[in-house]
Amino acid sequence: MSSTVSIQQNLSPLLSLGTLCKSLAISGLVLFLFYTFLFNPPNNYQPSDLLSTIKQKWPINIPPTTNNIIPPTTNINHIVFGIVGSMNTWKYKNSYSAAWWQPNITRGYLFLDRAPTPEFQPWPSNFPPFRVNEDVSKLRAFPRMVRPMQVRIVRTIMELFRQGDKNVRWYVMADDDTVLFVDNLVGVLAKYNHSKYYYIGSNSECVKSNFDFSFDMAFGGAGYALSYPLVEALAAKLDACIERYPYLYVSDFMLHSCLADLGVPLTHHKGFHQIDLVNDISGLLSAHPQFPFLSLHHIDTVDPIFPSMNRSEAINHLMKAAKADQSRLLQQTICYHRPTNWSFSISWGYSTYIYENIIPRSILWRPLETFRPWARNARPPLYMFNTRWLSNNGCEAPHVFFLDSIGRSDEGDQIVTTYIRKSARGLPPCSFTGNHSADPITKIQVFSPATTRMEAGGRDCCDIVNMGRSNNITEVKYRACMKDEVIA
């Protein structure tokens, strides 16, 4: 008996060692099979499917919730527009709203200071449906308000919210002399999270205007966008904010102040245009920054944007290009013709410039200063962007062509925009580059793809495919830029 016990005691370490080795062997086999299964898949297996393979073999049960549903991309149905107007001026400005408003597609309201006069009854269907603003004299702060009219304007946001439209993601506010480019607005707003607080807009083109109010304030004439949850929060506190700031005399600054008190800063986005400018703004529109063109304001304070047209006709002419391809509207494309040493600067749907010289993009991106600032007493710096002075030098002054017509190529796959000369340049040719005069050119046709839209912040490249060999018409064809394409 004692010998048996002694033998078992002597064998016990060996038995334990054997059990351990057996466990290690089994574990090693399992790991080997696991490794072989995951990291030596069939030949058609893609590494990116690794996570899905694991989920198929070892599914994780996630209870279905609304958070797992991907909401649809923001579209025109998610936006409500609030247009602020006055019955005294509506008769002069209604054509601007009619130019962009799309009955039964866009939704929103025109807010007036009083009911429409008989001349607008019945209310035309091509206008936004109207509402009459609430009487601000009922507010406790009314006796202390510096400018009740401005309070009416800022309270329009709250009144717009109270209309109770459903499935709203964004409220876009603008004036009745503002033209909006809705397709581009939809594309821009779709890039933002509408469930967060957002206040999106841009400041003035002029330094003094921003200095007088704020460099971080959206100018309402240019238009701005507010996300639904932000408007919901603002509507509950707006009157209290007005009570707090009755001495503010500009609605845009009232809104900026109230939103700042809520902790919401401005999200700057280029493309909204206040146009605190006077005279001829063609230089600005011909060198638009590489951002979608979203709005145009103060149309009545500048020259008609197309020569030989009145302001309303000029806006409707621009809208023809907007309807054809809003993504490219006013987007600047630059290309060169080396045999003649010419530079072409094309503002799609608006203008084309020919320079009898090879001029770098860094210069052509700067607008020609055909305009002046809003304030006559402004001192430099005048603008929030760099400009170029006009020149009488034949090597620096462009030949200017404006949009004449829009059509399709015979095959239908190209949009053809045609630009005609504004007037004779009246300068000698640029002798520095070989006296190749562009004076004979009377028309420029630009071919762009009809089915491919330009991505926000993207660019096109172009080639000169016909240099006026027939009928003094030059043809330019847009194409995708090649990798690492440069001027040289």
Side-chain angles (χ1 to χ4, degrees):
M1 181 71 176
S2 60
S3 61
T4 301
V5 171
S6 176
I7 291 172
Q8 289 177 346
Q9 290 175 345
N10 291 334
L11 289 176
S12 179
L14 295 175
L15 292 173
S16 299
L17 180 62
T19 301
L20 177 61
C21 291
K22 183 178 180 180
S23 298
L24 291 173
I26 293 173
S27 299
L29 179 61
V30 170
L31 289 173
F32 175 78
L33 292 175
F34 182 81
Y35 178 88
T36 302
F37 178 74
L38 287 182
F39 296 98
N40 293 278
N43 292 334
N44 62 352
Y45 175 80
Q46 298 296 324
S48 60
D49 292 332
L50 176 59
L51 184 59
S52 62
T53 301
I54 294 174
K55 287 181 178 179
Q56 290 172 4
K57 297 300 179 182
W58 297 278
I60 301 174
N61 293 322
I62 302 176
T65 66
T66 56
N67 293 333
N68 296 326
I69 300 174
I70 300 175
T73 302
T74 294
N75 58 57
I76 186 60
N77 298 318
H78 296 124
I79 301 174
V80 172
F81 295 91
I83 311 304
V84 181
S86 168
M87 203 61 246
N88 289 336
T89 60
W90 178 246
K91 66 178 65 177
Y92 309 111
K93 298 180 178 181
N94 64 71
S95 63
Y96 303 141
S97 294
W100 66 268
W101 184 260
Q102 303 171 50
N104 302 319
I105 298 177
T106 46
R107 58 174 175 158
Y109 312 90
L110 166 70
F111 286 85
L112 297 169
D113 52 351
R114 55 189 173 88
T117 54
E119 64 185 299
F120 291 107
Q121 299 292 354
W123 190 252
S125 60
N126 61 326
F127 291 171
F130 75 87
R131 298 290 186 270
V132 178
N133 282 119
E134 297 173 5
D135 184 2
V136 298
S137 67
K138 297 177 181 179
L139 297 180
R140 289 181 303 171
F142 183 75
R144 296 182 290 125
M145 291 177 187
V146 175
R147 296 182 69 182
M149 180 186 70
Q150 296 295 315
V151 173
R152 173 184 80 87
I153 293 173
V154 75
R155 289 185 85 251
T156 296
I157 300 168
M158 180 176 64
E159 296 178 38
L160 178 64
F161 177 76
R162 289 176 177 173
Q163 297 301 311
D165 291 272
K166 304 301 182 183
N167 196 28
V168 182
R169 295 184 180 182
W170 297 96
Y171 291 97
V172 174
M173 307 298 299
D175 287 355
D176 59 355
D177 61 342
T178 303
V179 173
L180 298 174
F181 298 89
V182 175
D183 293 350
N184 284 343
L185 270 169
V186 171
V188 166
L189 295 179
K191 298 181 181 297
Y192 291 92
N193 185 346
H194 61 274
S195 67
K196 306 295 184 181
Y197 284 5
Y198 270 110
Y199 165 43
I200 303 172
S202 187
N203 48 24
S204 171
E205 295 85 2
C206 291
V207 172
K208 189 178 188 306
S209 297
N210 298 310
F211 178 80
D212 288 344
F213 299 105
S214 173
F215 286 87
D216 293 312
M217 178 190 85
F219 278 66
Y224 54 85
L226 303 171
S227 59
Y228 179 91
L230 177 56
V231 174
E232 184 178 39
L234 178 67
K237 300 178 180 296
L238 186 56
D239 279 346
C241 182
I242 292 170
E243 298 282 347
R244 187 162 60 249
Y245 299 120
Y247 53 85
L248 297 181
Y249 61 94
V250 172
S251 60
D252 299 342
F253 192 58
M254 290 181 194
L255 175 64
H256 163 71
S257 301
C258 294
L259 292 178
D261 288 349
L262 289 175
V264 181
L266 174 66
T267 298
H268 287 268
H269 201 291
K270 293 183 179 181
F272 294 97
H273 292 284
Q274 175 71 8
I275 308 297
D276 281 345
L277 306 168
V278 294
N279 301 335
D280 175 12
I281 62 169
S282 64
L284 177 66
L285 301 183
S286 297
H288 191 271
Q290 294 294 115
F291 289 88
F293 186 52
L294 302 178
S295 69
L296 189 64
H297 179 49
H298 277 156
I299 299 166
D300 286 332
T301 65
V302 297
D303 298 340
I305 59 175
F306 288 103
S308 304
M309 297 183 185
N310 63 37
R311 292 180 175 88
S312 180
E313 291 170 342
I315 291 300
N316 288 330
H317 192 54
L318 183 68
M319 294 307 293
K320 294 175 184 177
K323 292 174 183 177
D325 186 352
Q326 206 163 112
S327 71
R328 285 188 171 84
L329 186 65
L330 267 64
Q331 299 302 291
Q332 187 184 21
T333 299
I334 297 168
C335 51
Y336 301 92
H337 187 254
R338 297 292 174 177
T340 56
N341 288 318
W342 288 359
S343 303
F344 286 73
S345 175
I346 303 165
S347 176
W348 193 94
Y350 181 64
S351 69
T352 297
Y353 288 0
I354 299 178
Y355 296 86
E356 296 177 3
N357 196 2
I358 299 296
I359 301 178
R361 287 183 173 88
S362 61
I363 295 176
L364 296 181
W365 280 347
R366 298 182 181 184
L368 283 170
E369 199 171 322
T370 58
F371 43 82
R372 296 301 298 159
W374 183 275
R376 294 183 179 181
N377 61 343
R379 297 180 178 179
L382 299 177
Y383 309 110
M384 297 292 291
F385 48 86
N386 294 320
T387 63
R388 290 183 289 145
W389 288 355
L390 298 174
S391 172
N392 288 323
N393 185 326
C395 298
E396 298 175 354
H399 298 258
V400 180
F401 302 74
F402 282 105
L403 177 72
D404 179 59
S405 62
I406 300 175
R408 289 289 185 107
S409 62
D410 294 338
E411 297 78 10
D413 61 339
Q414 298 284 310
I415 297 175
V416 184
T417 49
T418 301
Y419 307 81
I420 60 174
R421 183 181 288 276
K422 174 184 177 182
S423 59
R425 190 177 65 153
L427 295 173
C430 178
S431 59
F432 176 74
T433 58
N435 287 319
H436 297 292
S437 175
D439 285 342
I441 305 299
T442 59
K443 185 181 296 185
I444 300 173
Q445 289 186 321
V446 175
F447 296 77
S448 59
T451 57
T452 305
R453 294 297 183 257
M454 178 182 283
E455 292 295 324
R459 68 186 181 99
D460 289 309
C461 288
C462 55
D463 295 317
I464 315 303
V465 296
N466 180 3
M467 270 301 298
R469 287 189 293 271
S470 62
N471 299 323
N472 296 326
I473 298 174
T474 292
E475 295 179 356
V476 180
K477 188 169 184 178
Y478 277 24
R479 58 172 173 76
C481 296
M482 295 180 289
K483 182 179 179 181
D484 300 327
E485 185 165 3
V486 294
I487 296 174

